[in-house]
C-alpha cells in the first residue's frame, strides 16, 4: 500500500479511491488486462474444474484481496470472517473458471481498444471520474492522461496487483459476463400462441363442489413409515436430497473453564489496588506500560464525540488528573485517567510531499536520511519562494497514494495519522507549513483547513482482561481428562455420560472443508481432528475451545450422495406419512359415485368453491390444490365426479359444475413481454446452475486448510 495509507492509524482502513488513482499508472502498462494465475502444477491445485487446476497460490491471493476489501470497509477480519471469505472465494473461483471456459468456447473477450474506451470513453468508471473532475464538474480526461504518463514512469509500483484486482479485473470480467448474459437472453423466444394461451388461462374460472378428507383425519400412529418407504421416496426425489460431499457427526460433553467469580474479583481488586498510584503518577504512559495494560497508551487527543466508551461522561467528569474506576468494559476491568485537555479541531485537511527513507512494505532503506532531509529543505524553500506545491508533489513525492492529487490527503480525524504527523496537523494553525520527520521519512506538510473546534481529551486507560486463572483452567481440564480416562470408545463414552449424569450435545453435517462445528463456533483445527479419527473413536485428548474443554466422540459418517435413512427420516418422514395416509383414504373412497356418498363415508360435509382460478386454484381452507382444482377445468368433466385425488393437504373428490371466462386486462403483447422477461431471468440463473451441475470439480481444500 502507499505510505500515507500505512500512516493512517498505523493500520487504518484504506480509502479505495486513493488506491485506484495512486495506481492508475498500471492501467496502460503491459496492456493492463491480465489477472492473477498462470501455469500451475497439479500438486498446487486447491480445486480442479473440468480438468483445469486452480492453484492454492492464486486462491490465497484472492482471499487476501477479499480480506483487505473487508478492512477497507471498516470491518474487522476475525477468524469467523476469514473462514467465510475462504468459502466464498472458493465458490467464486469455481464460478469464474466455469464462465471463463464458456467465454473461450464462445469467443467472448474484451479488446485493448474496447478496454481503453471503457476507461476514457463516454462512460468512464465512477472511481476514475471522481478523482479527475474539473471546476465545472466534468471529467478531465487530459488531467487523467497527464497523471497516467507520470505514473507510468514508475516501474517499481508496489500495488500493481491491488489496482488490477480491485478495479481492472472486475471491470473486464463484468463486461464479459454482460456479453455472456446478453447472448443467453437474446436467445429467448416466446411464440405468440404461448402468450395467447397464457392470457386465456388467466381468464379461466370454475365453480365446483368437493369433499376432502384431510391427512390429519388419520392419526400418525395408524401409519407406520418404514425405512424402505423413506429410501424409496428419497430415490424418487434424489436431486433434492443428494449431497455433493460427505459429512461426519460427533457427540461431545463440555467442561466449563470460563473465569470464576473469584477470578473476576481478583482482577477487580488488582486494579483497585493501583488506583491511588495511577492518580499520583506524572507519567501515565509509562505507568500503563509498566503494569501491562491490555489497552496501550495513546499519546494523543480525542474529542468527546469520538470517545466510544459508555462511561465517558463519568471519566471526563472526574476531572484532569483524576482516576475513574475500576469499571467493567465487556470482558475487562478498566481504570481511566484524564491526562490533559485541549481545544482542537475535530478534523483537519492537509497536503504533503514525502521524501521517503524506507520502503513501507519491506522496511528496507530507500534514501539516505541526510540526502532526504536536504531535498526536503530545498523543496520547502522553493514552495516558500512561490513554487507550485501541487506540481512539486506530483514530481517528487514518494507517497503514491496522494502525489497524484498534488499531495492532498483530504480531511482526516484526530488520531488517524502517526503521532508526529498528527500532532503537527492538529496543534498548528491553519496555513502552517514545515518539515516533519516520521518513521517513513521527511514530510513537507501544509495544513490547508481545520474545522469543528471542541475540547479534546488525552486519556490513559489501565485495563486488565477478566481471564480464567490457571487454577480454574486446571480444574476443568482435570474433569475432562477424568471423563476421557473412562471413555476409550463410543460405547464407554455413552456409558460414562450416563453414569456421571452429564449432558450430551450433538453436532452433525460436519464437512471435511468446514471451519465451524455446530454451535461450537469457528475452529478449523477441530474439524481436522474430527477427520483424522475413525468413526467410533473418542479423541484421546480434551479439545480446548472458547473457555471450555471438550470430550469428543465421532458418532457417524455420511457418504456423498443420498444420506442414510437416519438422516433422511427427520426431513421427509411427514411427507411420506401423508402419502401413505393419502393411499389409505383413497382406498376408503374407492367406488363412490356421488359426492354425498363420499361425504357419508368420511363423515364430512360437501363443500363448494365458486370462482376458482385456473392459475391459482384455491379450495377454501384446504389452500391451493393444483391437482384437485385442475380437474374442474376440463369441460368433459362438468357434472361428473373425480376419482379420489391425493393432493397437498388431503384426499379430494371433486365435481365441476361450471366453467367460464372473466375479463382480463392484460393484452397478448404485454403477456409476451412478461413471459420473455421471466424466461430471460430463468436463463441467467439456470445456465449457471447447469454449468455447476455438469462440471467435474475436484475439491482439494483439505490438503491446505
Amino acid at each position: 500500500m502507499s505510505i500515507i495509507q500505512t500512516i493512517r492509524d498505523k493500520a487504518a482502513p484504506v480509502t479505495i479511491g486513493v488506491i485506484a488513482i495512486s495506481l492508475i499508472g498500471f492501467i496502460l502498462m503491459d496492456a493492463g488486462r491480465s489477472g492473477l494465475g498462470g501455469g500451475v502444477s497439479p500438486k498446487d491445485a486447491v480445486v480442479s474444474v473440468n480438468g483445469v487446476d486452480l492453484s492454492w497460490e492464486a486462491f490465497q491471493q484472492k482471499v487476501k484481496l477479499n480480506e483487505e476489501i473487508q478492512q477497507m470497509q471498516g470491518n474487522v477480519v476475525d477468524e469467523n470472517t476469514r473462514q467465510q471469505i475462504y468459502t466464498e472465494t472458493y465458490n467464486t473461483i469455481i464460478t469464474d473458471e466455469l464462465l471463463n471456459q464458456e467465454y473461450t468456447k464462445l469467443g467472448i473477450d474484451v479488446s485493448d481498444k474496447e478496454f481503453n474506451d471503457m476507461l476514457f470513453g463516454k462512460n468512464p468508471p465512477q472511481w476514475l471520474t471522481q478523482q479527475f473532475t474539473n471546476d465545472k464538474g466534468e471529467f478531465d480526461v487530459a488531467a487523467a492522461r497527464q497523471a497516467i504518463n507520470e505514473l507510468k514512469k514508475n516501474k517499481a509500483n508496489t500495488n500493481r496487483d491491488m489496482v488490477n484486482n480491485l478495479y481492472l479485473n472486475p471491470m473486464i470480467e463484468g463486461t464479459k459476463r454482460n456479453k455472456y448474459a446478453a447472448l443467453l437472453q437474446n436467445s429467448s423466444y416466446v411464440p405468440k400462441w404461448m402468450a395467447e394461451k397464457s392470457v386465456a388461462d388467466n381468464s379461466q374460472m370454475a365453480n365446483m363442489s368437493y369433499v376432502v378428507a384431510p391427512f390429519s383425519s388419520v392419526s400418525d400412529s395408524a401409519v407406520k413409515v418404514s425405512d424402505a418407504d423413506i429410501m424409496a421416496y428419497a430415490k424418487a426425489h434424489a436431486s433434492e436430497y443428494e449431497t455433493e460431499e460427505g459429512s461426519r457427526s460427533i457427540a461431545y460433553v463440555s467442561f466449563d473453564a470460563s473465569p470464576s467469580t473469584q477470578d473476576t474479583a481478583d482482577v477487580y481488586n488488582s486494579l483497585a489496588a493501583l488506583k491511588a498510584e495511577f492518580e499520583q503518577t506524572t507519567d501515565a504512559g509509562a505507568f500503563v506500560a509498566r503494569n501491562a495494560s491490555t489497552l496501550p497508551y495513546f499519546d494523543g487527543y480525542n474529542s468527546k464525540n469520538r470517545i466510544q466508551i459508555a462511561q465517558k461522561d463519568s471519566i471526563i467528569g472526574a476531572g484532569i488528573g483524576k482516576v475513574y474506576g475500576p469499571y467493567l468494559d465487556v470482558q475487562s476491568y478498566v481504570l481511566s485517567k484524564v491526562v490533559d485537555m485541549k481545544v482542537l479541531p475535530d478534523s483537519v485537511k492537509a497536503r504533503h510531499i514525502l521524501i521517503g527513507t524506507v520502503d513501507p512494505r519491506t522496511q528496507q532503506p530507500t534514501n539516505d536520511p541526510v540526502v532526504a532531509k536536504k531535498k526536503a529543505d530545498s523543496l520547502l524553500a522553493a514552495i516558500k519562494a512561490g513554487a507550485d506545491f501541487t506540481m512539486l508533489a506530483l514530481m517528487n513525492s514518494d507517497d503514491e497514494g496522494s502525489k497524484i492529487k498534488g499531495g492532498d490527503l483530504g480531511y482526516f480525524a484526530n488520531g488517524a495519522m502517526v503521532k508526529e504527523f498528527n500532532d503537527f496537523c492538529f496543534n498548528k494553525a491553519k496555513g502552517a507549513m514545515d518539515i516533519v520527520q516520521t518513521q517513513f521519512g521527511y514530510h513537507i506538510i501544509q495544513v490547508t483547513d481545520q474545522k469543528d473546534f471542541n475540547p479534546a481529551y488525552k486519556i490513559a486507560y489501565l485495563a486488565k482482561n477478566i481471564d480464567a486463572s490457571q487454577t480454574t483452567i486446571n480444574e476443568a481440564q482435570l474433569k475432562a481428562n477424568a471423563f476421557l480416562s473412562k471413555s476409550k470408545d463410543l460405547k464407554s463414552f455413552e456409558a460414562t455420560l450416563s453414569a456421571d449424569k452429564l449432558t450430551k450435545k450433538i453436532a452433525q453435517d460436519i464437512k471435511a472443508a468446514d471451519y465451524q462445528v455446530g454451535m461450537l463456533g469457528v475452529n478449523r483445527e477441530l474439524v481436522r481432528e474430527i477427520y483424522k479419527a475413525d468413526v467410533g473413536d473418542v479423541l484421546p485428548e480434551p479439545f480446548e475451545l472458547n473457555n471450555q474443554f471438550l470430550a469428543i466422540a465421532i458418532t457417524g459418517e455420511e457418504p456423498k450422495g443420498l444420506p442414510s435413512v437416519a438422516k433422511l427420516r427427520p426431513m421427509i418422514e411427514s411427507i411420506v406419512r401423508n402419502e401413505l395416509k393419502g393411499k389409505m383414504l383413497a382406498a376408503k373412497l374407492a367406488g363412490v359415485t356421488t359426492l354425498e356418498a363420499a361425504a357419508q363415508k368420511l363423515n364430512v360435509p360437501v363443500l363448494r368453491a365458486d370462482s376458482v382460478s385456473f392459475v391459482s386454484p384455491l379450495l377454501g381452507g384446504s389452500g391451493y390444490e393444483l391437482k384437485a382444482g385442475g380437474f374442474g377445468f376440463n369441460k368433459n368433466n362438468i357434472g361428473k365426479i373425480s376419482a379420489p385425488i391425493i393432493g397437498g393437504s388431503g384426499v379430494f373428490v371433486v365435481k365441476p359444475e361450471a366453467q367460464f371466462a372473466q375479463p382480463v386486462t392484460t393484452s397478448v403483447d404485454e403477456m409476451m413481454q412478461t413471459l420473455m422477461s421471466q424466461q430471460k431471468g430463468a436463463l441467467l440463473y439456470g445456465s449457471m446452475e447447469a454449468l455447476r451441475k455438469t462440471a467435474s470439480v475436484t475439491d482439494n481444500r483439505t490438503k491446505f486448510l
Side-chain angles (χ1 to χ4, degrees):
M1 296 181 184
S2 64
I3 292 174
I4 199 61
Q5 293 157 358
T6 309
I7 290 175
R8 289 185 184 272
D9 204 18
K10 307 177 188 114
V14 182
T15 304
I16 294 178
V18 173
I19 293 177
I21 303 307
S22 69
L23 304 173
I24 199 68
F26 177 60
I27 292 174
L28 297 184
M29 299 168 69
D30 303 325
R33 300 195 301 109
S34 60
L36 295 168
V40 296
S41 63
K43 68 178 183 179
D44 294 325
V46 67
V47 64
S48 178
V49 182
N50 292 332
V52 177
D53 293 328
L54 305 177
S55 75
W56 171 252
E57 180 183 13
F59 172 71
Q60 282 289 75
Q61 289 171 337
K62 291 180 182 293
V63 167
K64 182 180 178 182
L65 173 66
N66 289 331
E67 288 179 353
E68 290 175 345
I69 290 173
Q70 288 290 322
Q71 292 169 339
M72 290 173 192
Q73 295 171 347
N75 299 322
V76 176
V77 180
D78 55 16
E79 186 60 21
N80 184 50
T81 304
R82 184 170 292 108
Q83 296 298 343
Q84 288 178 1
I85 289 172
Y86 265 82
T87 300
E88 291 168 1
T89 303
Y90 173 77
N91 291 329
T92 298
I93 64 172
I94 293 175
T95 298
D96 289 346
E97 177 56 33
L98 288 172
L99 286 173
N100 283 330
Q101 292 176 15
E102 291 300 297
Y103 299 156
T104 300
K105 294 176 187 177
L106 298 168
I108 294 174
D109 202 357
V110 176
S111 67
D112 291 338
K113 181 179 179 181
E114 184 180 3
F115 181 66
N116 189 67
D117 184 65
M118 288 162 58
L119 289 171
F120 303 109
K122 294 181 179 180
N123 297 296
Q126 185 178 9
W127 54 265
L128 187 61
T129 59
Q130 284 178 338
Q131 300 301 324
F132 292 99
T133 301
N134 59 27
D135 295 338
K136 298 180 180 179
E138 301 167 337
F139 176 42
D140 194 336
V141 178
R145 290 189 183 278
Q146 179 184 357
I148 289 168
N149 289 333
E150 290 290 337
L151 286 171
K152 283 177 63 178
K153 297 175 184 178
N154 182 7
K155 299 295 183 181
N157 196 314
T158 59
N159 285 303
R160 291 164 59 109
D161 288 341
M162 178 66 79
V163 72
N164 186 27
N165 289 314
L166 272 178
Y167 296 99
L168 306 183
N169 277 352
M171 189 164 64
I172 295 296
E173 291 308 311
T175 301
K176 289 181 180 179
R177 191 168 294 203
N178 288 339
K179 290 181 178 181
Y180 178 68
L183 188 64
L184 286 175
Q185 291 180 328
N186 286 335
S187 68
S188 298
Y189 174 67
V190 175
K192 187 175 182 180
W193 68 261
M194 184 181 292
E196 291 172 342
K197 186 176 186 306
S198 295
V199 171
D201 288 345
N202 286 346
S203 70
Q204 293 302 301
M205 307 292 288
N207 298 334
M208 61 190 75
S209 297
Y210 64 97
V211 169
V212 57
F215 294 140
S216 58
S217 63
V218 179
S219 66
D220 289 351
S221 60
V223 180
K224 181 180 179 181
V225 180
S226 68
D227 289 351
D229 294 329
I230 294 289
M231 191 53 68
Y233 182 89
K235 288 180 179 179
H237 302 81
S239 62
E240 298 178 37
Y241 299 103
E242 282 184 334
T243 58
E244 295 181 359
E245 54 185 313
S247 66
R248 285 191 166 188
S249 57
I250 64 170
Y252 65 94
V253 59
S254 61
F255 299 89
D256 186 26
S258 58
S260 65
T261 302
Q262 186 60 51
D263 296 336
T264 304
D266 288 345
V267 175
Y268 180 92
N269 292 333
S270 68
L271 276 179
L274 293 170
K275 184 172 183 177
E277 187 180 355
F278 189 23
E279 193 164 287
Q280 293 169 6
T281 186
T282 57
D283 191 343
F287 186 85
V288 165
R290 186 168 64 251
N291 286 281
S293 172
T294 55
L295 289 175
Y297 180 65
F298 172 60
D299 189 18
Y301 294 80
N302 278 308
S303 61
K304 185 176 178 180
N305 66 333
R306 291 188 180 274
I307 300 173
Q308 304 298 314
I309 301 173
Q311 297 85 357
K312 63 183 178 182
D313 288 334
S314 298
I315 295 168
I316 294 170
I320 297 175
K322 300 298 181 180
V323 175
Y324 175 78
Y327 59 88
L328 186 64
D329 183 17
V330 191
Q331 291 297 314
S332 300
Y333 273 116
V334 186
L335 290 173
S336 296
K337 178 180 181 178
V338 178
V339 177
D340 194 17
M341 186 276 286
K342 288 183 178 180
V343 176
L344 295 174
D346 194 49
S347 61
V348 163
K349 187 178 183 182
R351 58 182 179 175
H352 83 141
I353 301 171
L354 171 65
I355 309 302
T357 56
V358 296
D359 186 314
R361 294 195 309 164
T362 65
Q363 301 302 312
Q364 296 300 310
T366 55
N367 288 313
D368 180 86
V370 175
V371 175
K373 178 62 165 61
K374 287 182 178 179
K375 183 175 182 180
D377 287 337
S378 65
L379 289 173
L380 178 61
I383 294 169
K384 289 182 176 180
D388 184 74
F389 193 111
T390 298
M391 289 306 299
L392 288 180
L394 189 64
M395 296 171 62
N396 296 280
S397 182
D398 291 325
D399 174 29
E400 301 294 338
S402 65
K403 66 182 291 183
I404 191 65
K405 296 185 289 183
D408 185 19
L409 301 172
Y411 285 96
F412 51 89
N414 197 350
M417 303 291 185
V418 291
K419 178 174 171 53
E420 302 87 353
F421 199 104
N422 191 87
D423 286 352
F424 181 86
C425 293
F426 283 86
N427 291 329
K428 298 294 183 179
K430 178 180 177 180
M433 182 170 60
D434 209 339
I435 296 172
V436 175
Q437 184 181 9
T438 73
Q439 66 203 66
F440 305 103
Y442 293 91
H443 307 256
I444 302 168
I445 305 174
Q446 183 178 36
V447 180
T448 56
D449 195 17
Q450 296 172 327
K451 60 183 182 180
D452 299 332
F453 283 79
N454 286 295
Y457 303 89
K458 181 185 291 187
I459 302 176
Y461 301 98
L462 178 56
K464 299 285 185 181
N465 287 342
I466 302 172
D467 294 324
S469 65
Q470 196 58 50
T471 299
T472 298
I473 294 171
N474 289 343
E475 288 178 356
Q477 190 170 17
L478 283 171
K479 290 178 182 178
N481 282 327
F483 178 89
L484 288 173
S485 69
K486 299 179 286 185
S487 308
K488 299 303 182 182
D489 53 30
L490 187 55
K491 183 177 179 181
S492 58
F493 183 93
E494 295 285 355
T496 306
L497 274 170
S498 178
D500 293 351
K501 297 181 179 179
L502 296 171
T503 302
K504 179 176 72 172
K505 300 176 183 177
I506 300 294
Q508 297 178 315
D509 296 323
I510 306 165
K511 299 177 180 62
D514 279 353
Y515 55 87
Q516 182 165 339
V517 178
M519 301 300 293
L520 291 173
V522 173
N523 194 288
R524 178 62 196 161
E525 179 61 29
L526 176 54
V527 178
R528 282 196 290 264
E529 291 299 317
I530 290 170
Y531 272 85
K532 284 179 184 178
D534 294 326
V535 175
D537 284 353
V538 175
L539 298 188
E541 300 292 334
F543 196 93
E544 186 176 2
L545 178 65
N546 298 333
N547 290 327
Q548 58 186 327
F549 287 91
L550 306 172
I552 300 171
I554 316 302
T555 56
E557 185 171 47
E558 295 285 350
K560 69 177 183 179
L562 280 177
S564 64
V565 171
K567 187 174 181 181
L568 285 167
R569 185 173 286 275
M571 294 188 283
I572 64 178
E573 184 175 17
S574 62
I575 300 172
V576 176
R577 180 180 286 111
N578 282 343
E579 281 195 348
L580 295 175
K581 287 181 178 181
K583 291 177 181 178
M584 291 173 57
L585 291 168
K588 189 175 181 179
L589 290 169
V592 297
T593 57
T594 65
L595 286 182
E596 290 71 23
Q600 187 175 4
K601 278 199 172 187
L602 297 173
N603 195 26
V604 296
V606 175
L607 302 174
R608 183 175 177 82
D610 291 329
S611 299
V612 177
S613 169
F614 176 77
V615 294
S616 54
L618 178 63
L619 299 184
S622 298
Y624 292 99
E625 290 288 348
L626 299 180
K627 291 181 181 179
F631 184 82
F633 288 90
N634 185 333
K635 293 181 179 180
N636 295 327
N637 293 335
I638 293 177
K640 302 175 183 178
I641 71 165
S642 68
I645 299 171
I646 300 175
S649 60
V651 176
F652 294 79
V653 177
V654 180
K655 181 181 179 181
E657 296 177 350
Q659 187 177 358
F660 58 95
Q662 67 174 2
V664 293
T665 57
T666 304
S667 68
V668 172
D669 287 342
E670 289 171 337
M671 180 58 69
M672 288 184 70
Q673 292 298 319
T674 299
L675 294 176
M676 184 74 79
S677 177
Q678 293 172 351
Q679 191 178 105
K680 287 181 177 180
L683 274 172
L684 289 177
Y685 174 78
S687 65
M688 200 65 247
E689 286 295 297
L691 288 175
R692 291 189 71 98
K693 188 171 290 186
T694 58
S696 173
V697 177
T698 303
D699 184 356
N700 298 319
R701 282 178 294 172
T702 55
K703 295 180 180 179
F704 306 96
L705 293 176

